[in-house]
Amino acid sequence: MRTRVMRNAAQPFGMPDPARPNISATIWRTLTDLTNRVYAFESSYSPDVVWTRLDALDFERAARLDLSVEGLVGDVSDRYESAEPFDFASA
């Protein structure tokens, strides 16, 4: 269900259209499911959907998800690593 919703609103991936220079292809598609507290995303370059269960995250500490990992697919809630917060986000 999530993939159908995400892909429904995406600009088709492909060659730019010279007649419409202000429209660009969608590279990342995201979905936030507030009812089930899930954040999902996918790349236009890959058919794999990745999601995080927001209830599984600790928002009291900074964390990051390495998107360069090969085969990143499915629930990645347990794959976040500790990280230092960005300078602009720290108090």
Side-chain angles (χ1 to χ4, degrees):
M1 174 65 170
R2 289 184 189 121
T3 56
R4 286 184 285 180
V5 172
M6 285 192 299
R7 292 174 182 161
N8 188 41
Q11 173 70 18
F13 191 71
M15 297 297 293
D17 184 354
R20 296 177 181 87
N22 297 325
I23 297 175
S24 60
T26 300
I27 297 173
W28 290 98
R29 293 181 281 259
T30 65
L31 174 90
T32 305
D33 180 345
L34 297 175
T35 302
N36 296 307
R37 299 184 47 81
V38 171
Y39 178 79
F41 64 92
E42 72 174 342
S43 167
S44 295
Y45 298 105
S46 170
D48 300 328
V49 178
V50 177
W51 66 88
T52 297
R53 292 174 289 107
L54 299 177
D55 291 334
L57 300 181
D58 178 4
F59 288 99
E60 295 295 320
R61 64 178 183 86
R64 70 179 186 91
L65 178 64
D66 186 356
L67 299 177
S68 67
V69 173
E70 189 75 25
L72 195 64
V73 62
D75 187 353
V76 296
S77 303
D78 61 349
R79 296 185 68 174
Y80 285 81
E81 303 168 349
S82 294
E84 292 297 317
F86 293 114
D87 288 334
F88 68 86
S90 60

